Amino acid sequence: MTTTISNANLTAQIKHLGAELFSLKNNQNTEYIWEGNPAFWGKHSPILFPIVGTLKKNTYNYNQKQFQLSRHGFAREMEFELVKKSDESATFSLISTLETQKVFPFNFELQICYSLDENKLNIDYKVINKTETTLPFAIGAHPAFALPGNFEEYSLEFQQAETLKYYLLEEGLISNNSNEIQLDNKKLGLNYQWFEKDALVFKTLESKSITILKNEKSILKVNFNDFPNLGIWTVQNAPFLCIEPWFGYSDTLNEYDDFLKKEGIQLLKNNETFKSNYSVEIL
């Protein structure tokens, strides 16, 4: 099943499977979301929950028990319920089940709300802890933006003039080695060489927005003021780029075994609600 929301400027389409955004078009019918061609990468904008990235051996320890979770968690593979709908917004819900508790022993509700405001799509995350204990989790976005034509004609403009410190992945885990990127007037020219070893992972970032430009013309802006971490990724020779706001990231090579001490993990108290938001603004 799919749901469509629209206003005078934009139309967005969301799959109920994973509550995944798979289309965002302007009123000239220009598509901004990657088509999901499996020859490169068969997804569009999956939701990462209750982990972001990869765990060591796909396992974690909690309360002296070992559990298994595959890369990016299970939310992206589960059917969400549409719980609220208007012309310009749609809210989806995923509630823990006996099956999810086998790999993630907590009671929760995850809500995703998509809403249009003029030329902007807002994506709001809400995690509700229905467990009597603290709920440890990570959550993240993984939107892939279509970049037709010559990849090297595109660039990224960061909100701040900063030196970017990034980590590379080794077999899905964050390495101990970091590198730096010197921006040129806040900009980073795109080149597939940046992604020869998978994603660029930023544990910290001063900028809270990134604009995609083609031949110096602004196309869209991703605003992620709430999110402390970020990933940028593509596949070699693929005509898309993922700009991924995160709370949390893959295990590091020297990660603690205790899930509660995992780098970037969020700890939500009983009956409390976590909220975060990011947006995609068409320019």
Side-chain angles (χ1 to χ4, degrees), residues 222-266:
V222 182
N223 303 287
F224 47 91
N225 191 61
D226 291 350
F227 289 77
N229 319 123
L230 188 82
I232 300 178
W233 174 77
T234 191
V235 175
Q236 293 298 305
N237 301 316
F240 72 83
L241 184 77
C242 293
I243 298 176
E244 308 175 40
W246 296 336
F247 277 86
Y249 36 80
S250 290
D251 277 357
T252 60
L253 292 176
N254 56 347
E255 190 66 61
Y256 290 106
D257 288 336
D258 187 347
F259 196 54
L260 294 175
K261 296 180 180 179
K262 174 177 164 57
E263 273 194 31
I265 203 73
Q266 305 302 302

Side-chain angles (χ1 to χ4, degrees), residues 263-278:
E263 273 194 31
I265 203 73
Q266 305 302 302
L267 300 175
L268 188 63
K269 294 180 180 179
N270 170 244
N271 290 326
E272 288 193 348
T273 298
F274 165 94
K275 296 179 180 180
S276 63
N277 163 279
Y278 79 99

Side-chain angles (χ1 to χ4, degrees), residues 59-122:
T59 64
Y60 69 95
N61 293 315
Y62 172 75
N63 201 19
Q64 299 182 330
K65 294 182 180 180
Q66 191 173 80
F67 298 90
Q68 287 197 321
L69 270 177
S70 58
R71 181 174 175 82
H72 292 323
F74 51 70
R76 60 182 182 159
E77 307 294 346
M78 297 190 69
E79 196 79 14
F80 281 65
E81 180 184 359
L82 178 64
V83 294
K84 189 176 181 180
K85 171 74 167 66
S86 69
D87 290 344
E88 299 183 4
S89 69
T91 302
F92 298 84
S93 172
L94 177 68
I95 296 175
S96 52
T97 66
L98 292 176
E99 287 302 308
T100 65
Q101 289 173 3
K102 291 178 181 178
V103 295
F104 187 65
F106 306 95
N107 294 317
F108 67 85
E109 181 177 2
L110 170 61
Q111 290 187 3
I112 314 295
C113 179
Y114 295 93
S115 60
L116 296 171
D117 180 15
E118 297 184 349
N119 64 330
K120 183 185 295 185
L121 174 65
N122 289 300

Side-chain angles (χ1 to χ4, degrees), residues 12-243:
Q13 293 181 282
I14 304 105
K15 296 180 182 179
H16 291 207
L17 180 65
E20 182 180 9
L21 175 72
F22 71 95
S23 177
L24 179 63
K25 295 181 179 180
N26 64 10
N27 53 18
Q28 279 81 50
N29 208 38
T30 300
E31 178 64 78
Y32 294 92
I33 299 298
W34 163 242
E35 66 184 32
N37 181 350
F40 293 104
W41 186 58
K43 294 188 179 294
H44 314 271
S45 181
I47 293 162
L48 316 182
F49 178 87
I51 59 169
V52 171
T54 304
L55 302 173
K56 277 186 178 179
K57 299 181 180 178
N58 292 322
T59 64
Y60 69 95
N61 293 315
Y62 172 75
N63 201 19
Q64 299 182 330
K65 294 182 180 180
Q66 191 173 80
F67 298 90
Q68 287 197 321
L69 270 177
S70 58
R71 181 174 175 82
H72 292 323
F74 51 70
R76 60 182 182 159
E77 307 294 346
M78 297 190 69
E79 196 79 14
F80 281 65
E81 180 184 359
L82 178 64
V83 294
K84 189 176 181 180
K85 171 74 167 66
S86 69
D87 290 344
E88 299 183 4
S89 69
T91 302
F92 298 84
S93 172
L94 177 68
I95 296 175
S96 52
T97 66
L98 292 176
E99 287 302 308
T100 65
Q101 289 173 3
K102 291 178 181 178
V103 295
F104 187 65
F106 306 95
N107 294 317
F108 67 85
E109 181 177 2
L110 170 61
Q111 290 187 3
I112 314 295
C113 179
Y114 295 93
S115 60
L116 296 171
D117 180 15
E118 297 184 349
N119 64 330
K120 183 185 295 185
L121 174 65
N122 289 300
I123 302 97
D124 289 276
Y125 292 171
K126 184 184 291 185
V127 180
I128 304 167
N129 182 7
K130 297 184 175 183
T131 303
E132 294 182 358
T133 59
T134 296
L135 173 67
F137 70 95
I139 191 167
H142 202 319
F145 300 105
L147 302 186
N150 183 355
F151 190 76
E152 295 186 7
E153 292 181 352
Y154 293 89
S155 60
L156 302 179
E157 183 175 14
F158 288 73
Q159 180 191 38
Q160 303 290 335
E162 59 181 305
T163 299
L164 304 178
K165 182 179 180 180
Y166 70 92
Y167 295 80
L168 293 173
L169 297 175
E170 295 183 17
E171 297 181 356
L173 304 179
I174 293 180
S175 73
N176 294 320
N177 299 318
S178 63
N179 294 302
E180 291 186 346
I181 298 173
Q182 301 293 334
L183 296 178
D184 181 8
N185 193 26
K186 300 184 183 179
K187 293 177 183 176
L188 173 66
L190 289 183
N191 188 306
Y192 287 116
Q193 291 181 352
W194 289 118
F195 309 101
E196 286 179 339
K197 295 184 178 180
D198 211 323
L200 306 181
V201 176
F202 303 92
K203 293 184 181 181
T204 58
L205 204 62
E206 293 180 22
S207 296
K208 291 300 181 181
S209 69
I210 294 175
T211 300
I212 298 177
L213 304 93
K214 184 175 185 181
N215 295 322
E216 298 301 313
K217 180 182 179 182
S218 299
I219 297 172
L220 65 82
K221 180 188 289 187
V222 182
N223 303 287
F224 47 91
N225 191 61
D226 291 350
F227 289 77
N229 319 123
L230 188 82
I232 300 178
W233 174 77
T234 191
V235 175
Q236 293 298 305
N237 301 316
F240 72 83
L241 184 77
C242 293
I243 298 176

